[in-house]
Amino acid sequence: MSQEVAVYGCGGFGRGIAWLAQMCGAQVVCFIDDDEATQGKLINAIPAVTLTEARRRFPDARVAVAVNDPRTREMLASKASGAGFGLATLVHPRVELSPWVQLGEGSIVREGCCFSVDVELGRHVLLNMDCTVGHDVVVGDFASLAPGSHVSGFVHLGRRAQVGTGAVILQGWQGAPLVIGDDAVIGAGACVTKSVPPGETVVGVPARPIVRARAKVRLSSHSRRELELVRRPSREESLERTHVS
């Protein structure tokens, strides 16, 4: 008998994960959704229910948390575990996975991904479509890799780190890995050449931190001249001020 899976989240990503679970041979018994407007509906022929109802109707199901945002995924995984559910680990059949890859509980790996050797994924790691992961990479719990992102060898991704679509992280070195800190964000299309501190967002090629823009007013030469005329008193005003003094 196939494993029953309940998918937590029924947005676009959640619907894709339901299809992934089916491709893995699982029976998707329901979506779990906290939005009352969605509960009771059929979504792609799958009922959307509350967490409580899912636990009552499908006590043997395992939950796949299908939300991109790492913090939300962490919160929902905690709710599902607290309700008594086990967590589903899903790996698409069209994934290149060496025997020397460790997958943490609740991880989701979508189609087209490719792993090298000696790779360690934490709990509830998400790899979207067509990602590559090089040798000796460590990915922290609840980290997310968006479609088409590439992580080279000797890289460590922190807890809840996010790698944007098409981003590239270049290699570190044995004994000196390139480190992406906890809660760091790598912007779409960025090329990361050095470690990124926790909580920092980097973008561009090469990737650099986002700096908050300073409030500056750029004036044309004509505008500056107008302001000077406004600030500068007329000859009559100057004489009047001299007379009053």
Side-chain angles (χ1 to χ4, degrees), residues 6-8 13 63-67 72-74 76-77 80 87-88 106 108 124:
V7 177
Y8 208 148
F13 182 69
V63 169
V65 182
V67 177
T72 304
R73 196 159 71 251
E74 185 173 18
L76 295 182
L87 285 307
I108 294 175
H124 297 281

Side-chain angles (χ1 to χ4, degrees), residues 87-149:
L87 285 307
T89 300
L90 301 175
V91 179
H92 195 280
R94 194 163 57 82
V95 168
E96 298 291 336
L97 196 68
S98 82
W100 300 278
V101 175
Q102 299 179 38
L103 295 174
E105 180 189 39
S107 290
I108 294 175
V109 184
R110 296 200 63 179
E111 59 272 23
C113 291
C114 182
F115 295 82
S116 185
V117 297
D118 301 308
V119 174
E120 180 181 341
L121 302 186
R123 298 171 57 251
H124 297 281
V125 169
L126 166 63
L127 278 83
N128 220 314
M129 298 170 287
D130 297 320
C131 296
T132 63
V133 179
H135 60 84
D136 299 286
V137 168
V138 178
V139 183
D141 296 346
F142 299 98
S144 294
L145 278 70
S149 55

Side-chain angles (χ1 to χ4, degrees), residues 35-196:
D35 184 359
E36 293 182 359
T38 304
Q39 294 160 7
K41 294 183 177 180
L42 282 178
I43 299 172
N44 292 352
I46 300 169
V49 301
T50 65
L51 180 62
T52 301
E53 185 178 357
R55 183 61 180 160
R56 178 180 60 81
R57 292 175 56 184
F58 310 108
D60 297 326
R62 302 184 74 83
V63 169
V65 182
V67 177
N68 270 306
D69 178 71
R71 287 192 177 277
T72 304
R73 196 159 71 251
E74 185 173 18
M75 181 266 291
L76 295 182
S78 178
K79 286 182 65 175
S81 297
F85 280 112
L87 285 307
T89 300
L90 301 175
V91 179
H92 195 280
R94 194 163 57 82
V95 168
E96 298 291 336
L97 196 68
S98 82
W100 300 278
V101 175
Q102 299 179 38
L103 295 174
E105 180 189 39
S107 290
I108 294 175
V109 184
R110 296 200 63 179
E111 59 272 23
C113 291
C114 182
F115 295 82
S116 185
V117 297
D118 301 308
V119 174
E120 180 181 341
L121 302 186
R123 298 171 57 251
H124 297 281
V125 169
L126 166 63
L127 278 83
N128 220 314
M129 298 170 287
D130 297 320
C131 296
T132 63
V133 179
H135 60 84
D136 299 286
V137 168
V138 178
V139 183
D141 296 346
F142 299 98
S144 294
L145 278 70
S149 55
H150 303 286
V151 180
S152 302
F154 291 120
V155 170
H156 290 184
L157 292 175
R159 187 181 182 94
R160 294 182 301 269
Q162 298 182 68
V163 182
T165 299
V168 175
I169 302 176
L170 298 186
Q171 72 278 357
W173 302 97
Q174 187 171 11
L178 189 152
V179 178
I180 308 300
D182 294 351
D183 299 300
V185 177
I186 311 302
C191 180
V192 178
T193 60
K194 59 184 179 181
S195 293
V196 177

Side-chain angles (χ1 to χ4, degrees), residues 173-242:
W173 302 97
Q174 187 171 11
L178 189 152
V179 178
I180 308 300
D182 294 351
D183 299 300
V185 177
I186 311 302
C191 180
V192 178
T193 60
K194 59 184 179 181
S195 293
V196 177
E200 190 159 90
T201 297
V202 297
V203 297
V205 180
R208 292 187 174 89
I210 289 180
V211 179
R212 292 183 178 179
R214 297 177 180 176
K216 291 183 178 180
V217 178
R218 296 185 178 276
L219 300 174
S220 67
S221 57
H222 178 71
S223 298
R224 286 196 296 271
R225 176 62 179 164
E226 287 181 335
L227 286 176
E228 288 173 2
L229 290 175
V230 170
R231 289 195 300 268
R232 189 179 301 165
S234 66
R235 182 172 182 274
E236 290 78 6
E237 288 174 326
S238 298
L239 290 174
E240 183 178 347
R241 289 176 183 176
T242 305

